[in-house]
PDB file of all heavy atoms in Angstrom:
ATOM      1  N   ARG A 114     -29.230   4.990 -20.079  1.00 95.00           N
ATOM      2  CA  ARG A 114     -29.979   4.044 -20.990  1.00 95.00           C
ATOM      3  C   ARG A 114     -31.445   4.051 -20.636  1.00 95.00           C
ATOM      4  O   ARG A 114     -32.272   3.834 -21.444  1.00 95.00           O
ATOM      5  CB  ARG A 114     -29.481   2.663 -20.881  1.00 95.00           C
ATOM      6  CG  ARG A 114     -28.039   2.407 -21.369  1.00 95.00           C
ATOM      7  CD  ARG A 114     -27.520   1.025 -21.154  1.00 95.00           C
ATOM      8  NE  ARG A 114     -27.960   0.401 -19.985  1.00 95.00           N
ATOM      9  CZ  ARG A 114     -28.553  -0.832 -19.857  1.00 95.00           C
ATOM     10  NH1 ARG A 114     -28.785  -1.547 -20.867  1.00 95.00           N
ATOM     11  NH2 ARG A 114     -28.830  -1.269 -18.683  1.00 95.00           N
ATOM     12  N   TRP A 115     -31.760   4.261 -19.242  1.00 95.00           N
ATOM     13  CA  TRP A 115     -33.120   4.239 -18.908  1.00 95.00           C
ATOM     14  C   TRP A 115     -33.977   5.301 -19.525  1.00 95.00           C
ATOM     15  O   TRP A 115     -35.198   5.094 -19.700  1.00 95.00           O
ATOM     16  CB  TRP A 115     -33.208   4.417 -17.390  1.00 95.00           C
ATOM     17  CG  TRP A 115     -32.582   3.268 -16.598  1.00 95.00           C
ATOM     18  CD1 TRP A 115     -32.053   2.087 -17.168  1.00 95.00           C
ATOM     19  CD2 TRP A 115     -32.420   3.247 -15.148  1.00 95.00           C
ATOM     20  NE1 TRP A 115     -31.572   1.328 -16.066  1.00 95.00           N
ATOM     21  CE2 TRP A 115     -31.724   1.964 -14.868  1.00 95.00           C
ATOM     22  CE3 TRP A 115     -32.728   4.097 -14.166  1.00 95.00           C
ATOM     23  CZ2 TRP A 115     -31.438   1.573 -13.617  1.00 95.00           C
ATOM     24  CZ3 TRP A 115     -32.392   3.754 -12.830  1.00 95.00           C
ATOM     25  CH2 TRP A 115     -31.783   2.487 -12.517  1.00 95.00           C
ATOM     26  N   ARG A 116     -33.407   6.412 -20.012  1.00 89.00           N
ATOM     27  CA  ARG A 116     -34.116   7.507 -20.549  1.00 89.00           C
ATOM     28  C   ARG A 116     -34.584   7.127 -22.023  1.00 89.00           C
ATOM     29  O   ARG A 116     -35.433   7.723 -22.632  1.00 89.00           O
ATOM     30  CB  ARG A 116     -33.267   8.810 -20.707  1.00 89.00           C
ATOM     31  CG  ARG A 116     -33.158   9.352 -19.336  1.00 89.00           C
ATOM     32  CD  ARG A 116     -32.563  10.776 -19.530  1.00 89.00           C
ATOM     33  NE  ARG A 116     -31.082  10.816 -19.291  1.00 89.00           N
ATOM     34  CZ  ARG A 116     -30.351  11.788 -19.513  1.00 89.00           C
ATOM     35  NH1 ARG A 116     -30.840  12.893 -19.983  1.00 89.00           N
ATOM     36  NH2 ARG A 116     -28.980  11.742 -19.269  1.00 89.00           N
ATOM     37  N   GLU A 117     -33.701   6.176 -22.650  1.00 88.00           N
ATOM     38  CA  GLU A 117     -33.952   5.871 -24.017  1.00 88.00           C
ATOM     39  C   GLU A 117     -34.810   4.611 -24.296  1.00 88.00           C
ATOM     40  O   GLU A 117     -34.854   4.085 -25.462  1.00 88.00           O
ATOM     41  CB  GLU A 117     -32.600   5.707 -24.721  1.00 88.00           C
ATOM     42  CG  GLU A 117     -31.780   7.062 -24.650  1.00 88.00           C
ATOM     43  CD  GLU A 117     -30.458   6.965 -25.280  1.00 88.00           C
ATOM     44  OE1 GLU A 117     -30.243   5.977 -26.022  1.00 88.00           O
ATOM     45  OE2 GLU A 117     -29.722   7.893 -25.156  1.00 88.00           O
ATOM     46  N   LEU A 118     -35.358   4.063 -23.218  1.00 85.00           N
ATOM     47  CA  LEU A 118     -36.217   2.933 -23.377  1.00 85.00           C
ATOM     48  C   LEU A 118     -37.507   3.327 -23.838  1.00 85.00           C
ATOM     49  O   LEU A 118     -38.012   4.425 -23.728  1.00 85.00           O
ATOM     50  CB  LEU A 118     -36.336   2.181 -21.971  1.00 85.00           C
ATOM     51  CG  LEU A 118     -34.954   1.597 -21.421  1.00 85.00           C
ATOM     52  CD1 LEU A 118     -35.138   1.064 -20.067  1.00 85.00           C
ATOM     53  CD2 LEU A 118     -34.408   0.515 -22.338  1.00 85.00           C
ATOM     54  N   GLY A 119     -38.341   2.370 -24.242  1.00 83.00           N
ATOM     55  CA  GLY A 119     -39.727   2.603 -24.748  1.00 83.00           C
ATOM     56  C   GLY A 119     -40.596   2.778 -23.514  1.00 83.00           C
ATOM     57  O   GLY A 119     -40.222   3.277 -22.439  1.00 83.00           O
ATOM     58  N   GLY A 120     -41.810   2.328 -23.585  1.00 92.00           N
ATOM     59  CA  GLY A 120     -42.763   2.516 -22.499  1.00 92.00           C
ATOM     60  C   GLY A 120     -43.336   1.244 -22.058  1.00 92.00           C
ATOM     61  O   GLY A 120     -43.161   0.173 -22.640  1.00 92.00           O
ATOM     62  N   ILE A 121     -43.853   1.212 -20.802  1.00 96.00           N
ATOM     63  CA  ILE A 121     -44.490   0.046 -20.263  1.00 96.00           C
ATOM     64  C   ILE A 121     -45.858   0.397 -20.142  1.00 96.00           C
ATOM     65  O   ILE A 121     -46.295   1.470 -19.789  1.00 96.00           O
ATOM     66  CB  ILE A 121     -43.874  -0.309 -18.837  1.00 96.00           C
ATOM     67  CG1 ILE A 121     -44.363  -1.676 -18.278  1.00 96.00           C
ATOM     68  CG2 ILE A 121     -43.983   0.848 -17.879  1.00 96.00           C
ATOM     69  CD1 ILE A 121     -43.615  -2.110 -17.068  1.00 96.00           C
ATOM     70  N   SER A 122     -46.758  -0.668 -20.449  1.00 96.00           N
ATOM     71  CA  SER A 122     -48.231  -0.453 -20.424  1.00 96.00           C
ATOM     72  C   SER A 122     -48.855  -1.574 -19.562  1.00 96.00           C
ATOM     73  O   SER A 122     -48.348  -2.670 -19.652  1.00 96.00           O
ATOM     74  CB  SER A 122     -48.765  -0.462 -21.808  1.00 96.00           C
ATOM     75  OG  SER A 122     -48.286   0.577 -22.538  1.00 96.00           O
ATOM     76  N   GLY A 123     -49.930  -1.213 -18.916  1.00 95.00           N
ATOM     77  CA  GLY A 123     -50.599  -2.213 -18.156  1.00 95.00           C
ATOM     78  C   GLY A 123     -51.582  -1.548 -17.186  1.00 95.00           C
ATOM     79  O   GLY A 123     -51.343  -0.418 -16.700  1.00 95.00           O
ATOM     80  N   THR A 124     -52.613  -2.248 -16.833  1.00 96.00           N
ATOM     81  CA  THR A 124     -53.613  -1.761 -15.870  1.00 96.00           C
ATOM     82  C   THR A 124     -53.642  -2.902 -14.780  1.00 96.00           C
ATOM     83  O   THR A 124     -54.066  -3.937 -15.017  1.00 96.00           O
ATOM     84  CB  THR A 124     -54.942  -1.556 -16.527  1.00 96.00           C
ATOM     85  OG1 THR A 124     -54.804  -0.671 -17.599  1.00 96.00           O
ATOM     86  CG2 THR A 124     -56.010  -1.017 -15.517  1.00 96.00           C
ATOM     87  N   TYR A 125     -53.250  -2.433 -13.517  1.00 96.00           N
ATOM     88  CA  TYR A 125     -53.189  -3.464 -12.432  1.00 96.00           C
ATOM     89  C   TYR A 125     -53.956  -2.918 -11.193  1.00 96.00           C
ATOM     90  O   TYR A 125     -54.079  -1.849 -10.985  1.00 96.00           O
ATOM     91  CB  TYR A 125     -51.707  -3.599 -12.092  1.00 96.00           C
ATOM     92  CG  TYR A 125     -50.874  -4.055 -13.260  1.00 96.00           C
ATOM     93  CD1 TYR A 125     -50.019  -3.186 -13.958  1.00 96.00           C
ATOM     94  CD2 TYR A 125     -50.914  -5.373 -13.751  1.00 96.00           C
ATOM     95  CE1 TYR A 125     -49.352  -3.616 -15.092  1.00 96.00           C
ATOM     96  CE2 TYR A 125     -50.271  -5.819 -14.871  1.00 96.00           C
ATOM     97  CZ  TYR A 125     -49.444  -4.918 -15.568  1.00 96.00           C
ATOM     98  OH  TYR A 125     -48.772  -5.318 -16.645  1.00 96.00           O
ATOM     99  N   ASN A 126     -54.423  -3.909 -10.511  1.00 95.00           N
ATOM    100  CA  ASN A 126     -55.072  -3.710  -9.177  1.00 95.00           C
ATOM    101  C   ASN A 126     -56.348  -2.840  -9.384  1.00 95.00           C
ATOM    102  O   ASN A 126     -56.644  -2.031  -8.564  1.00 95.00           O
ATOM    103  CB  ASN A 126     -54.157  -3.192  -8.153  1.00 95.00           C
ATOM    104  CG  ASN A 126     -53.036  -4.056  -7.868  1.00 95.00           C
ATOM    105  OD1 ASN A 126     -53.208  -5.281  -7.762  1.00 95.00           O
ATOM    106  ND2 ASN A 126     -51.848  -3.480  -7.762  1.00 95.00           N
ATOM    107  N   GLN A 127     -57.082  -3.156 -10.423  1.00 94.00           N
ATOM    108  CA  GLN A 127     -58.295  -2.438 -10.713  1.00 94.00           C
ATOM    109  C   GLN A 127     -59.443  -3.133  -9.995  1.00 94.00           C
ATOM    110  O   GLN A 127     -59.497  -4.259  -9.764  1.00 94.00           O
ATOM    111  CB  GLN A 127     -58.519  -2.339 -12.210  1.00 94.00           C
ATOM    112  CG  GLN A 127     -57.459  -1.756 -13.016  1.00 94.00           C
ATOM    113  CD  GLN A 127     -57.127  -0.359 -12.539  1.00 94.00           C
ATOM    114  OE1 GLN A 127     -58.060   0.575 -12.603  1.00 94.00           O
ATOM    115  NE2 GLN A 127     -55.894  -0.112 -12.110  1.00 94.00           N
ATOM    116  N   VAL A 128     -60.380  -2.246  -9.552  1.00 93.00           N
ATOM    117  CA  VAL A 128     -61.580  -2.830  -8.861  1.00 93.00           C
ATOM    118  C   VAL A 128     -62.816  -2.791  -9.751  1.00 93.00           C
ATOM    119  O   VAL A 128     -62.966  -1.913 -10.585  1.00 93.00           O
ATOM    120  CB  VAL A 128     -61.824  -2.004  -7.544  1.00 93.00           C
ATOM    121  CG1 VAL A 128     -60.681  -2.215  -6.628  1.00 93.00           C
ATOM    122  CG2 VAL A 128     -62.056  -0.547  -7.851  1.00 93.00           C
ATOM    123  N   ASP A 129     -63.681  -3.805  -9.494  1.00 93.00           N
ATOM    124  CA  ASP A 129     -64.953  -3.854 -10.176  1.00 93.00           C
ATOM    125  C   ASP A 129     -66.011  -2.940  -9.553  1.00 93.00           C
ATOM    126  O   ASP A 129     -65.658  -2.315  -8.510  1.00 93.00           O
ATOM    127  CB  ASP A 129     -65.416  -5.290 -10.329  1.00 93.00           C
ATOM    128  CG  ASP A 129     -65.763  -5.936  -9.062  1.00 93.00           C
ATOM    129  OD1 ASP A 129     -66.008  -5.274  -7.976  1.00 93.00           O
ATOM    130  OD2 ASP A 129     -65.823  -7.115  -8.929  1.00 93.00           O
ATOM    131  N   PRO A 130     -67.210  -2.706 -10.083  1.00 94.00           N
ATOM    132  CA  PRO A 130     -68.189  -1.863  -9.491  1.00 94.00           C
ATOM    133  C   PRO A 130     -68.554  -2.199  -7.981  1.00 94.00           C
ATOM    134  O   PRO A 130     -68.946  -1.305  -7.296  1.00 94.00           O
ATOM    135  CB  PRO A 130     -69.375  -2.027 -10.425  1.00 94.00           C
ATOM    136  CG  PRO A 130     -68.816  -2.429 -11.799  1.00 94.00           C
ATOM    137  CD  PRO A 130     -67.645  -3.297 -11.446  1.00 94.00           C
ATOM    138  N   SER A 131     -68.316  -3.384  -7.624  1.00 93.00           N
ATOM    139  CA  SER A 131     -68.591  -3.844  -6.222  1.00 93.00           C
ATOM    140  C   SER A 131     -67.425  -3.510  -5.296  1.00 93.00           C
ATOM    141  O   SER A 131     -67.610  -3.759  -4.087  1.00 93.00           O
ATOM    142  CB  SER A 131     -69.020  -5.209  -6.109  1.00 93.00           C
ATOM    143  OG  SER A 131     -67.934  -6.106  -6.340  1.00 93.00           O
ATOM    144  N   GLY A 132     -66.298  -2.990  -5.838  1.00 89.00           N
ATOM    145  CA  GLY A 132     -65.168  -2.666  -5.016  1.00 89.00           C
ATOM    146  C   GLY A 132     -64.182  -3.794  -4.808  1.00 89.00           C
ATOM    147  O   GLY A 132     -63.207  -3.620  -4.076  1.00 89.00           O
ATOM    148  N   GLN A 133     -64.403  -4.945  -5.534  1.00 92.00           N
ATOM    149  CA  GLN A 133     -63.516  -6.000  -5.395  1.00 92.00           C
ATOM    150  C   GLN A 133     -62.368  -5.975  -6.483  1.00 92.00           C
ATOM    151  O   GLN A 133     -62.710  -5.512  -7.650  1.00 92.00           O
ATOM    152  CB  GLN A 133     -64.162  -7.367  -5.602  1.00 92.00           C
ATOM    153  CG  GLN A 133     -65.315  -7.552  -4.663  1.00 92.00           C
ATOM    154  CD  GLN A 133     -64.763  -7.702  -3.158  1.00 92.00           C
ATOM    155  OE1 GLN A 133     -63.720  -8.432  -3.009  1.00 92.00           O
ATOM    156  NE2 GLN A 133     -65.243  -6.959  -2.217  1.00 92.00           N
ATOM    157  N   VAL A 134     -61.136  -6.330  -6.182  1.00 91.00           N
ATOM    158  CA  VAL A 134     -60.140  -6.274  -7.139  1.00 91.00           C
ATOM    159  C   VAL A 134     -60.321  -7.337  -8.152  1.00 91.00           C
ATOM    160  O   VAL A 134     -60.701  -8.436  -7.918  1.00 91.00           O
ATOM    161  CB  VAL A 134     -58.720  -6.566  -6.431  1.00 91.00           C
ATOM    162  CG1 VAL A 134     -57.615  -6.677  -7.454  1.00 91.00           C
ATOM    163  CG2 VAL A 134     -58.375  -5.508  -5.465  1.00 91.00           C
ATOM    164  N   ILE A 135     -60.226  -6.940  -9.441  1.00 93.00           N
ATOM    165  CA  ILE A 135     -60.438  -7.884 -10.560  1.00 93.00           C
ATOM    166  C   ILE A 135     -59.201  -8.764 -10.513  1.00 93.00           C
ATOM    167  O   ILE A 135     -58.017  -8.329 -10.666  1.00 93.00           O
ATOM    168  CB  ILE A 135     -60.516  -7.038 -11.892  1.00 93.00           C
ATOM    169  CG1 ILE A 135     -61.697  -6.136 -11.895  1.00 93.00           C
ATOM    170  CG2 ILE A 135     -60.649  -8.030 -13.084  1.00 93.00           C
ATOM    171  CD1 ILE A 135     -61.740  -5.150 -12.972  1.00 93.00           C
ATOM    172  N   PRO A 136     -59.386 -10.126 -10.397  1.00 94.00           N
ATOM    173  CA  PRO A 136     -58.293 -10.998 -10.069  1.00 94.00           C
ATOM    174  C   PRO A 136     -57.170 -10.940 -11.098  1.00 94.00           C
ATOM    175  O   PRO A 136     -56.017 -10.950 -10.707  1.00 94.00           O
ATOM    176  CB  PRO A 136     -59.010 -12.334 -10.157  1.00 94.00           C
ATOM    177  CG  PRO A 136     -60.409 -12.138  -9.799  1.00 94.00           C
ATOM    178  CD  PRO A 136     -60.711 -10.761 -10.396  1.00 94.00           C
ATOM    179  N   TRP A 137     -57.475 -10.991 -12.433  1.00 95.00           N
ATOM    180  CA  TRP A 137     -56.357 -11.024 -13.400  1.00 95.00           C
ATOM    181  C   TRP A 137     -55.596  -9.667 -13.471  1.00 95.00           C
ATOM    182  O   TRP A 137     -54.492  -9.564 -14.129  1.00 95.00           O
ATOM    183  CB  TRP A 137     -56.901 -11.297 -14.836  1.00 95.00           C
ATOM    184  CG  TRP A 137     -57.955 -10.348 -15.325  1.00 95.00           C
ATOM    185  CD1 TRP A 137     -57.745  -9.219 -16.057  1.00 95.00           C
ATOM    186  CD2 TRP A 137     -59.343 -10.643 -15.264  1.00 95.00           C
ATOM    187  NE1 TRP A 137     -58.959  -8.710 -16.340  1.00 95.00           N
ATOM    188  CE2 TRP A 137     -59.934  -9.542 -15.820  1.00 95.00           C
ATOM    189  CE3 TRP A 137     -60.160 -11.541 -14.650  1.00 95.00           C
ATOM    190  CZ2 TRP A 137     -61.341  -9.348 -15.892  1.00 95.00           C
ATOM    191  CZ3 TRP A 137     -61.560 -11.331 -14.730  1.00 95.00           C
ATOM    192  CH2 TRP A 137     -62.158 -10.247 -15.342  1.00 95.00           C
ATOM    193  N   THR A 138     -56.002  -8.615 -12.703  1.00 94.00           N
ATOM    194  CA  THR A 138     -55.190  -7.372 -12.651  1.00 94.00           C
ATOM    195  C   THR A 138     -54.343  -7.323 -11.392  1.00 94.00           C
ATOM    196  O   THR A 138     -53.556  -6.279 -11.292  1.00 94.00           O
ATOM    197  CB  THR A 138     -56.142  -6.144 -12.751  1.00 94.00           C
ATOM    198  OG1 THR A 138     -56.787  -6.087 -11.508  1.00 94.00           O
ATOM    199  CG2 THR A 138     -57.099  -6.128 -13.951  1.00 94.00           C
ATOM    200  N   GLU A 139     -54.553  -8.210 -10.465  1.00 95.00           N
ATOM    201  CA  GLU A 139     -53.918  -8.139  -9.257  1.00 95.00           C
ATOM    202  C   GLU A 139     -52.365  -8.342  -9.301  1.00 95.00           C
ATOM    203  O   GLU A 139     -51.909  -9.349  -9.852  1.00 95.00           O
ATOM    204  CB  GLU A 139     -54.469  -9.103  -8.247  1.00 95.00           C
ATOM    205  CG  GLU A 139     -53.956  -8.794  -6.820  1.00 95.00           C
ATOM    206  CD  GLU A 139     -54.833  -9.632  -5.774  1.00 95.00           C
ATOM    207  OE1 GLU A 139     -55.553 -10.565  -6.190  1.00 95.00           O
ATOM    208  OE2 GLU A 139     -54.644  -9.285  -4.599  1.00 95.00           O
ATOM    209  N   ARG A 140     -51.585  -7.381  -8.771  1.00 95.00           N
ATOM    210  CA  ARG A 140     -50.089  -7.498  -8.730  1.00 95.00           C
ATOM    211  C   ARG A 140     -49.727  -6.780  -7.461  1.00 95.00           C
ATOM    212  O   ARG A 140     -50.137  -5.753  -7.023  1.00 95.00           O
ATOM    213  CB  ARG A 140     -49.448  -6.755  -9.927  1.00 95.00           C
ATOM    214  CG  ARG A 140     -49.794  -7.286 -11.153  1.00 95.00           C
ATOM    215  CD  ARG A 140     -49.152  -8.609 -11.573  1.00 95.00           C
ATOM    216  NE  ARG A 140     -49.315  -9.065 -12.966  1.00 95.00           N
ATOM    217  CZ  ARG A 140     -50.442  -9.425 -13.491  1.00 95.00           C
ATOM    218  NH1 ARG A 140     -51.615  -9.470 -12.737  1.00 95.00           N
ATOM    219  NH2 ARG A 140     -50.582  -9.817 -14.705  1.00 95.00           N
TER     220      ARG A 140
END
Side-chain angles (χ1 to χ4, degrees):
R114 296 179 318 129
W115 295 354
R116 291 193 259 173
E117 299 184 8
L118 298 170
I121 187 169
S122 296
T124 303
Y125 303 104
N126 301 318
Q127 301 304 302
V128 295
D129 63 21
S131 67
Q133 298 298 312
V134 174
I135 301 169
W137 58 86
T138 71
E139 189 168 13
R140 300 290 187 285

